[in-house]
């Protein structure tokens, strides 16, 4: 109910109240839950994301430091080799043996010193690069092209130094017979590696040093020594112990170090399984392209043989400055991922515990505010639905919301009293309005019937006058045409034979015009053509009518169904009833161009307390559109185009109505039509 002086509907105002209540509830819930469910998770996500990035950076920094230590150890190995060879070349013992000029004594001296220094080969060349002495026995490095190494070449020119060189299988055999077998590594198919046709790696990576020395006769020479790094497990295990000693990694992690010749592991402590080292496995194509192809240091996670490692790869340069291999260190990623997951789970569990404790408390505080508002909202909705007995039912509260609820209940009590009074007044008013409405409806029905009758009578009278005039006007020129045609036929005699067809066609059309004029006059002045009314058996008229349209039924492939149950006689002119039935049957045939079923029925039926007979002509044809049903009995209305005059149903309707009957139509477009003619029973048969 709207307030006095207000035009706003009560439903709209109540809907606005409900919307505001919903907004208040959502705001209270947002205030209660926003810090815990949105702000805190966002902060945690930001912090966890930052910590994760820092954690990953820390791992990369560690593996970078590990690579630095490994590189320093390799550099120190070359420096120590250079220092040791310098000490040997400058020693008194070497000078004494070298100046003695005894090649056998020098070979024995080199063999003893090689074993003490841990070298794989040790030999002396003269200034021309010819071999003076060598260890182990049988070594012939002068013919192996080793003197072409930049390290040896610089020493021949007086500059000592150390470096890494890659030596072929034949050259290794000339340096020391057993080095060729030690250096050979069978390649193991490795996922992610660059495809290759090789099955083995026979080259060796050698750390060699060369220092200038003095030989007998004050001749210049070069002292050369070196170590093969292929399968040098002491070398690689020492790097691993230096980088990943006890306590350097968390429990479960494992540090590894590897020396690559090109992309092949020639010395490693990475395991394939149990104690078998992954010698002969190859690095992934991605790492190979970055380190050997571009010369970059790889600091990232990488798949190593069979697991993911935090890895560092660095190119190894030969003494000629070419990238010939890689030095690798890394440690298992899985334990650190597990540690990261554990920390993230701990953070998540902590957040869940905090939320589980705080959210119920916050919701309880918010509920103490919006529950009374919801109770009032529900009460208002029930009142809008018609339940005026609805009340908030809130217990006594001293706060503002409680007082508001009590005021609402008091207003609803007053509203209920006013509503009861209004309903009493409304019931009395409704009874009076209903009585007057029934009277008006009856008067309107009578008025509408009279108006329809007047309109139809006016239409028929006006159309009848016009039609009669037109018919008489047409008869005169038609008579002239027919008369002149007869005169022309008599005058021409035999000469009229060539145009006999045309004369016959004119006769037919004139006859057609006469028929149309007769129908027009019959419609315009039905009284002049009306015959006497007699008691007529419906079955006989139906049989006569079907006999006249039988040729149309057979030609259109239409099946006839007759159901005649009428026992009464109707009171109507027999010819006019036959005209009505034939018109309805012909229309039904035209409505079924592809064939169908024509049903003709008769049965006893009463209407308005009067006994009579109902004749029904039903077809299964095209049907009549709903928009045309109200006009089918109007004069000159047709749906046949140029093939119809629009007078058949109108004349039939007039004939039936003049006999005291009625005609109705029921049609569904696409399903057929049914025309029902009710005629009163003949008085003689009453």
């Amino acid at each position: 109910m709207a307030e006095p002086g207000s035009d706003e509907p009560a439903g709209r105002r109540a809907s606005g109240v409900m919307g505001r209540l919903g907004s208040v509830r959502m705001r209270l819930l947002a205030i209660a839950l926003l810090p815990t469910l949105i702000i805190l998770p966002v902060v945690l996500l930001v912090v966890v994301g930052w910590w994760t990035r820092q954690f990953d950076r820390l791992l990369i920094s560690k593996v970078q430091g590990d690579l630095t230590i490994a590189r320093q150890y390799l550099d120190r190995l070359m420096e120590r080799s250079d220092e040791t060879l310098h000490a040997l070349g400058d020693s008194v013992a070497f000078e004494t043996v070298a100046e003695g000029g005894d090649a056998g004594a020098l070979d024995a001296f080199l063999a003893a010193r090689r074993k003490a220094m841990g070298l794989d080969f040790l030999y002396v060349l003269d200034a021309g690069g010819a071999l003076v002495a060598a260890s182990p026995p049988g070594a012939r490095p002068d013919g192996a092209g080793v003197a072409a190494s930049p390290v040896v070449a610089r020493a021949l020119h007086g500059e000592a130094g150390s470096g890494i060189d890659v030596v072929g299988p034949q050259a290794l055999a000339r340096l020391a017979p057993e080095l060729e077998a030690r250096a050979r590594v069978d390649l193991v198919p490795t996922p992610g590696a660059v495809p290759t046709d090789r099955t083995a790696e026979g080259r060796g990576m050698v750390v060699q040093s060369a220092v200038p020395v003095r030989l007998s006769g004050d001749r210049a020479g070069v002292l050369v020594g070196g170590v093969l790094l292929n399968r040098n497990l002491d070398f690689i295990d020492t790097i691993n112990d230096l980088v990943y000693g006890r306590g350097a990694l968390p429990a479960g992690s494992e540090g590894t170090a590897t020396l690559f010749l090109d992309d092949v592991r020639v010395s490693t402590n990475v395991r394939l399984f149990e104690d078998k080292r992954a010698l002969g496995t190859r690095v992934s194509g991605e790492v190979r392209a970055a380190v050997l192809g571009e010369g970059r240091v790889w600091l990232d996670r990488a798949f190593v043989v069979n697991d993911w490692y935090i890895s560092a790869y660095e190119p190894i340069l030969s003494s000629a400055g070419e990238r010939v291999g890689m030095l690798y260190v890394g440690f298992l990623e899985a334990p650190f991922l597990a540690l990261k997951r554990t920390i993230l789970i701990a953070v998540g569990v902590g957040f869940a515990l905090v939320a589980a404790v705080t959210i119920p408390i916050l919701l309880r505080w918010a509920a103490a505010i919006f529950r009374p508002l919801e109770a009032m909202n529900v009460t208002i909705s029930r009142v809008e639905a018609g339940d005026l007995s609805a009340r908030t039912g809130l217990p006594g509260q001293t706060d503002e919301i409680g007082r508001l609820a009590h005021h609402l209940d008091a207003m609803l009590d007053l509203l209920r009293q006013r509503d009861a009074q209004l309903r009493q007044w409304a019931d009395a008013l409704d009874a009076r309005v209903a009585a007057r409405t029934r009277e008006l409806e009856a008067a309107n029905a009578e008025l509408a019937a009279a108006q329809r009758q007047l309109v139809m009578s006016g239409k028929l009278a006006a159309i009848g006058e016009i039609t009669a005039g037109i018919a008489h006007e047409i008869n005169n020129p038609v008579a002239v045409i027919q008369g002149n045609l007869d005169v022309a036929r008599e005058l021409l005699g035999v000469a009229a034979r060539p145009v006999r067809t045309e004369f016959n066609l004119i006769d037919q059309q004139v006859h057609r015009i006469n028929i149309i004029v007769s129908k027009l006059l019959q419609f315009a002045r039905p009284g002049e053509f009306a015959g006497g009314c007699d008691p007529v058996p419906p079955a006989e008229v139906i049989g006569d009518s079907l006999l006249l349209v039988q040729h149309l039924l057979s030609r259109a492939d239409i099946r006839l169904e007759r159901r005649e149950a009428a026992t009464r006689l109707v009171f109507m002119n027999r010819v006019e009833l036959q005209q009505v039935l034939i018109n309805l049957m012909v229309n039904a045939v035209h409505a079924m161009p592809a064939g169908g079923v024509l049903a003709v029925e008769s049965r006893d039926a009463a209407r308005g307390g009067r006994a009579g007979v109902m004749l029904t002509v039903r077809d299964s044809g095209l049907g009549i559109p709903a928009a045309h049903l109200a006009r089918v009995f109007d004069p000159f209305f047709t749906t046949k185009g140029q093939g119809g005059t629009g007078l058949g149903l109108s004349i039939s309707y007039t004939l039936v109505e003049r006999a005291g009957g009625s005609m109705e139509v029921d049609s569904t477009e696409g399903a057929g039509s049914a025309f029902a003619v009710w005629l009163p029973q003949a008085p003689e048969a009453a």
Side-chain angles (χ1 to χ4, degrees):
M1 177 180 291
E3 296 178 359
S6 173
D7 295 332
E8 183 181 9
R12 184 183 302 173
R13 190 166 60 256
S15 177
V17 172
M18 293 176 65
R20 288 192 291 274
L21 288 177
S23 176
V24 169
R25 179 177 183 177
M26 294 305 297
R27 291 177 184 176
L28 289 173
L29 289 175
I31 293 172
L33 301 180
L34 185 65
T36 304
L37 295 182
I38 298 180
I39 296 178
L40 182 58
V42 169
V43 172
L44 286 177
L45 288 176
V46 172
V47 172
V48 168
W50 174 85
W51 175 84
T52 301
R53 290 192 297 273
Q54 295 302 318
F55 186 83
D56 294 339
R57 290 178 183 174
L58 181 62
L59 294 180
I60 297 300
S61 298
K62 173 173 174 49
V63 78
Q64 185 177 15
D66 298 341
L67 180 63
T68 301
I69 296 174
R71 181 65 193 185
Q72 289 175 349
Y73 175 75
L74 181 60
D75 293 341
R76 180 56 186 159
L77 179 65
M78 290 188 292
E79 292 175 1
R80 187 169 64 249
S81 175
D82 184 59
E83 292 172 356
T84 303
L85 214 60
H86 261 293
L88 177 61
D90 294 339
S91 66
V92 175
F94 177 80
E95 290 180 0
T96 301
V97 176
E99 289 177 357
D102 186 353
L106 185 55
D107 286 341
F109 177 80
L110 292 179
R113 299 307 300 166
R114 181 181 68 82
K115 292 181 180 179
M117 296 168 62
L119 300 176
D120 289 320
F121 59 87
L122 184 63
Y123 60 91
V124 177
L125 301 176
D126 61 16
L131 181 65
V132 177
S135 176
R140 293 292 180 267
D142 56 329
V146 178
S149 168
V151 174
V152 178
R154 286 193 294 268
L156 289 173
H157 288 83
E159 181 181 352
S162 297
I164 295 177
D165 288 309
V166 176
V167 183
Q170 295 179 355
L172 286 174
R174 296 184 68 85
L175 282 173
E178 73 276 7
L179 292 185
E180 181 182 6
R182 279 180 51 194
R184 180 181 173 82
V185 176
D186 293 331
L187 297 186
V188 178
T190 309
V194 176
T196 181
D197 296 332
R198 296 189 303 155
T199 59
E201 176 61 74
R203 299 175 298 167
M205 182 177 286
V206 177
V207 175
Q208 61 180 353
S209 301
V211 297
V213 294
R214 304 302 300 176
L215 302 177
S216 62
D218 202 23
R219 290 179 301 147
V222 176
L223 178 62
V224 182
V227 177
L228 177 65
L229 297 180
N230 294 41
R231 297 183 184 273
N232 194 329
L233 303 183
D234 291 338
F235 163 74
I236 206 68
D237 288 343
T238 301
I239 291 180
N240 194 70
D241 292 339
L242 286 174
V243 176
Y244 302 114
R246 186 184 300 273
L249 294 173
S253 186
E254 181 184 58
T256 57
T258 300
L259 183 69
F260 288 88
L261 174 54
D262 196 10
D263 63 347
V264 181
R265 290 179 175 86
V266 296
S267 185
T268 182
N269 60 0
V270 177
R271 298 311 199 264
L272 280 174
F273 49 85
E274 296 182 355
D275 292 333
K276 181 175 177 60
R277 302 194 182 222
L279 296 174
T281 58
R282 302 169 61 217
V283 78
S284 67
E286 183 181 9
V287 175
R288 185 184 194 281
V291 180
L292 293 179
E294 302 176 14
R296 294 191 290 110
V297 176
W298 177 279
L299 297 173
D300 203 346
R301 63 194 301 264
F303 191 79
V304 178
V305 181
N306 54 15
D307 211 338
W308 286 95
Y309 285 73
I310 304 298
S311 305
Y313 294 83
E314 181 182 81
I316 295 177
L317 303 180
S318 68
S319 58
E322 299 175 349
R323 293 189 287 271
V324 296
M326 294 180 288
L327 181 63
Y328 156 82
V329 292
F331 47 86
L332 274 174
E333 182 187 37
F336 294 94
L337 290 179
L339 177 62
K340 186 187 297 185
R341 284 194 296 269
T342 301
I343 294 175
L344 293 178
I345 291 173
V347 172
V349 171
F351 168 73
L353 291 176
V354 171
V357 173
T358 58
I359 288 178
I361 297 174
L362 296 175
L363 290 177
R364 181 173 297 179
W365 290 348
I369 299 175
F370 64 70
R371 279 180 182 169
L373 296 178
E374 285 185 340
M376 288 187 283
N377 186 20
V378 171
T379 301
I380 293 174
S381 299
R382 291 174 59 189
V383 171
E384 287 180 341
D387 184 7
L388 297 181
S389 63
R391 299 293 181 270
T392 60
L394 294 175
Q397 295 182 356
T398 58
D399 57 9
E400 293 82 352
I401 298 178
R403 291 197 296 270
L404 179 61
H406 295 318
H407 285 306
L408 177 61
D409 289 343
M411 291 176 61
L412 292 177
D413 291 337
L414 181 60
L415 178 63
R416 187 176 185 181
Q417 296 176 4
R418 297 289 177 86
D419 182 73
Q421 296 175 358
L422 290 175
R423 286 181 184 276
Q424 293 177 357
W425 297 338
D427 291 341
L429 181 60
D430 288 343
R432 298 177 63 184
V433 170
R436 292 295 178 89
T437 301
R438 287 191 294 270
E439 296 175 0
L440 290 175
E441 288 177 350
N444 286 336
E446 295 176 358
L447 179 60
Q451 287 177 342
R452 286 195 298 270
Q453 187 65 32
L454 288 174
V455 170
M456 180 59 71
S457 299
K459 283 183 179 180
L460 293 176
I463 294 174
E465 293 178 4
I466 296 172
T467 304
I470 293 174
H472 286 296
E473 291 296 328
I474 292 175
N475 274 335
N476 293 331
V478 168
V480 173
I481 292 172
Q482 186 64 55
N484 289 332
L485 182 62
D486 293 338
V487 172
R489 188 181 284 116
E490 291 178 0
L491 292 177
L492 292 175
V494 178
R497 290 180 180 177
V499 292
R500 182 173 53 189
T501 302
E502 285 74 11
F503 282 176
N504 291 336
L505 181 61
I506 294 173
D507 286 335
Q508 293 174 5
Q509 297 304 317
V510 168
H511 180 65
R512 183 181 178 189
I513 293 173
N514 287 329
I515 292 174
I516 294 174
V517 169
S518 297
K519 288 185 178 181
L520 288 173
L521 290 173
Q522 186 176 2
F523 169 73
R525 297 175 181 176
E528 297 178 4
F529 295 89
C533 293
D534 299 310
V536 179
E540 293 181 4
V541 180
I542 292 175
D544 294 342
S545 301
L546 288 173
L547 184 61
L548 295 176
V549 298
Q550 184 62 43
H551 66 288
L552 296 176
L553 300 179
S554 57
R555 187 170 55 196
D557 190 20
I558 295 174
R559 181 167 54 88
L560 175 65
E561 292 182 358
R562 293 180 63 179
R563 290 186 286 273
E564 298 178 5
T567 61
R568 300 168 180 169
L569 301 179
V570 297
F571 192 65
M572 185 175 179
N573 182 273
R574 184 186 187 95
V575 176
E576 292 178 352
L577 178 57
Q578 183 175 339
Q579 180 182 351
V580 171
L581 291 176
I582 290 174
N583 184 49
L584 295 179
M585 293 177 185
V586 171
N587 287 344
V589 171
H590 291 167
M592 296 184 288
V597 177
L598 173 63
V600 181
E601 304 172 1
S602 66
R603 60 183 176 86
D604 295 336
R607 176 163 294 188
R610 298 174 62 192
V613 174
M614 182 70 73
L615 303 176
T616 305
V617 178
R618 190 187 315 274
D619 65 75
S620 60
L622 303 175
I624 302 172
H628 296 165
L629 280 176
R631 302 181 58 195
V632 293
F633 297 119
D634 289 351
F636 304 109
F637 177 79
T638 179
T639 59
K640 298 179 183 179
Q642 296 179 355
T645 62
L647 294 174
L649 287 177
S650 179
I651 292 173
S652 298
Y653 185 89
T654 302
L655 295 176
V656 171
E657 192 176 51
R658 189 174 64 193
S662 63
M663 181 183 292
E664 299 172 350
V665 62
D666 182 19
S667 179
T668 301
E669 188 171 4
S673 304
F675 284 86
V677 177
W678 182 86
L679 294 171
Q681 183 180 7
E684 293 82 0

